[in-house]
Amino acid sequence: MLSKKEIYAQALRILEQRREQTRLTAENHLLEACTRAPEISQLKKKLGQTSIQLAKAILSHQGNTQAILEQIEQENILTQQRIKQVLVEHHLPEDYLEEKPNCTKCQDTGYCGRKQCQCLRDIIIRISAEELQKNTQLKLKGFENFQLYYYSKIPEDTGVSPYDHMGRILQYCKRYAEQFEPHTNGIFMSGKTGLGKTHLSLAIAQRVLQRGYTVIYSSVSEIVRKISTQYFGREQGNQSEDIFEILNQVDLLILDDLGAEFESSFSTSAIYDLINARISAGRPTIISTNLTPTELQKRYSERIVSRLFTQLTPLNFIGQDVRTKLAADNKKF
Ligand SMILES: [Zn+2]
């Protein structure tokens, strides 16, 4: 795991690359514009001479410096206007020669005055999230290999078959991943083991990652272990990015298998703090569990359970363990 200092250095390098890209693009645009319209090159030269004229005017102390300055400035404006005109005449946008940084707030420097810009913060979170995920063997699964035909077409007591019900859940998850944005709702997936909760949350993770968002996927046990390692390690002077902050700030956090973690007051409060912090910040979390509502109520405090049921969209997985059918199928071939 990279240290906080290394992550920061890496983030600054990314910003440096962005600035270089911006500069290169502007230089290429200038070359292209000068090739199309040689007059641009003359006009640019004229602009460049302005600063020399300015310096001369100030140093010479001859005549009315103020008047000279105003005249130079006026000429400058005219030259710039002429450049825009020539660009447009040659079918190029009038701002074609301007440098366009990724972040207009800090011009890709990472700082607005002495304050860290949000863009730098975002890069740090992205690198930290990738770091956290590095050691987790994420076998990403797609929606395309979700086997709907393993679910029975025989209606259950509710009158709906697992096949139809799961078909709707599959559609919902696909749409969720396609339309995901940082303030979409969270999801609470419940149901017995082997009904596809992990598969669908991994498929969502894969699509949302592809769409360029930051995602952390982890089992609740693993997350609690990481938080506690840092919490107790920090007392021994361990310096790494605040894991709680990373978990809180990624665009999508997916917590698998709530209820399988070691039960302790530390884990319960860590889980509550995390879920609560994300809900308060309006950031989506997907949580899955094999526990029934009654089991959840027995195990967790009222405040966690009510958060899960009222703040997240519930998806109840039904049917019979598809893994046994999968294994049987695999044996056949
Ligand atoms: Zn910025």
Side-chain angles (χ1 to χ4, degrees):
M1 179 103 185
L2 292 173
S3 73
K4 193 173 178 170
K5 224 170 148 184
E6 288 164 326
I7 291 179
Y8 178 73
Q10 223 180 74
L12 287 186
R13 273 201 298 280
I14 291 177
L15 284 176
E16 200 183 305
Q17 283 163 5
R18 286 186 184 170
R19 292 198 299 274
E20 189 172 324
Q21 280 300 326
T22 310
R23 208 174 48 240
L24 282 175
T25 309
E27 277 171 23
N28 283 334
H29 283 184
L30 179 62
L31 275 175
E32 190 195 340
C34 290
T35 317
R36 281 209 214 177
E39 189 189 343
I40 298 269
S41 143
Q42 303 294 326
L43 291 165
K44 274 281 177 188
K45 210 177 270 170
K46 199 173 165 192
L47 271 183
Q49 281 160 355
T50 315
S51 50
I52 303 170
Q53 282 175 294
L54 264 175
K56 273 188 189 161
I58 294 165
L59 289 173
S60 68
H61 295 295
Q62 283 168 1
N64 187 344
T65 318
Q66 187 60 31
I68 298 171
L69 285 179
E70 273 168 24
Q71 193 202 339
I72 292 173
E73 198 179 323
Q74 201 51 41
E75 276 175 27
N76 233 341
I77 293 172
L78 287 175
T79 313
Q80 272 159 351
Q81 278 171 353
R82 178 65 195 145
I83 291 179
K84 284 182 183 172
Q85 212 178 356
V86 176
L87 285 170
V88 174
E89 280 166 10
H90 287 81
H91 311 290
L92 290 168
E94 63 169 29
D95 61 351
Y96 199 57
L97 303 182
E98 285 167 25
E99 287 195 3
K100 292 194 191 68
N102 282 269
C103 177
T104 46
K105 281 188 211 145
C106 71
Q107 318 296 318
D108 295 333
T109 59
Y111 282 87
C112 302
R114 295 173 74 178
K115 201 174 158 267
Q116 237 180 44
C117 182
Q118 188 56 41
C119 70
L120 174 55
R121 207 53 228 145
D122 290 344
I123 300 173
I124 290 175
I125 295 295
R126 184 174 293 269
I127 301 173
S128 309
E130 283 164 7
E131 269 299 299
L132 262 181
Q133 206 75 101
K134 221 184 227 172
N135 300 324
T136 320
Q137 281 308 314
L138 245 197
K139 289 200 188 72
L140 288 177
K141 295 182 175 192
F143 289 112
E144 64 285 354
N145 43 30
F146 187 80
Q147 314 289 18
L148 203 51
Y149 59 84
Y150 283 128
Y151 296 86
S152 161
K153 289 188 176 173
I154 302 165
E156 295 203 333
D157 298 343
T158 51
V160 182
S161 72
Y163 180 86
D164 287 339
H165 182 76
M166 291 309 296
R168 267 174 235 148
I169 287 190
L170 173 63
Q171 284 314 316
Y172 179 86
C173 292
K174 272 188 192 170
R175 208 171 48 237
Y176 182 89
E178 280 312 323
Q179 297 174 354
F180 179 88
E181 49 180 31
H183 291 285
T184 6
N185 60 298
I187 298 178
F188 182 52
M189 297 179 173
S190 61
K192 283 179 273 174
T193 346
L195 294 179
K197 297 189 294 296
T198 302
H199 188 135
L200 286 186
S201 36
L202 279 169
I204 293 177
Q206 170 164 286
R207 187 66 195 119
V208 174
L209 272 170
Q210 278 170 353
R211 293 186 50 223
Y213 293 103
T214 47
V215 180
I216 287 183
Y217 180 100
S218 179
S219 67
V220 175
S221 330
E222 185 64 16
I223 286 292
V224 170
R225 197 184 57 73
K226 281 179 175 156
I227 295 178
S228 78
T229 307
Q230 182 169 63
Y231 184 81
F232 297 109
R234 184 146 282 182
E235 290 169 357
Q236 292 151 17
N238 189 352
Q239 271 298 316
S240 50
E241 266 299 324
D242 185 348
I243 186 163
F244 193 88
E245 204 203 327
I246 301 163
L247 295 170
N248 184 21
Q249 294 216 9
V250 281
D251 297 323
L252 177 61
L253 175 66
I254 304 182
L255 298 176
D256 196 25
D257 217 356
L258 175 72
E261 75 284 359
F262 179 71
E263 204 174 345
S264 72
S265 59
F266 179 86
S267 68
T268 310
S269 72
I271 295 166
Y272 175 76
D273 288 347
L274 188 55
I275 296 174
N276 196 41
R278 288 189 60 90
I279 289 176
S280 307
R283 293 195 190 95
T285 309
I286 296 178
I287 300 169
S288 71
T289 186
N290 298 333
L291 300 183
T292 62
T294 324
E295 286 167 333
L296 280 170
Q297 265 153 356
K298 243 189 245 168
R299 175 151 180 178
Y300 300 100
S301 64
E302 177 56 32
R303 49 182 199 162
I304 293 192
V305 180
S306 78
R307 279 294 205 195
L308 295 177
F309 284 108
T310 60
Q311 306 282 332
L312 307 175
T313 303
L315 293 184
N316 189 20
F317 287 55
I318 60 170
Q320 281 183 342
D321 194 338
V322 293
R323 291 174 308 178
T324 46
K325 293 185 184 176
L326 250 170
D329 267 12
N330 286 340
K331 246 184 224 165
K332 272 189 239 162
F333 300 110

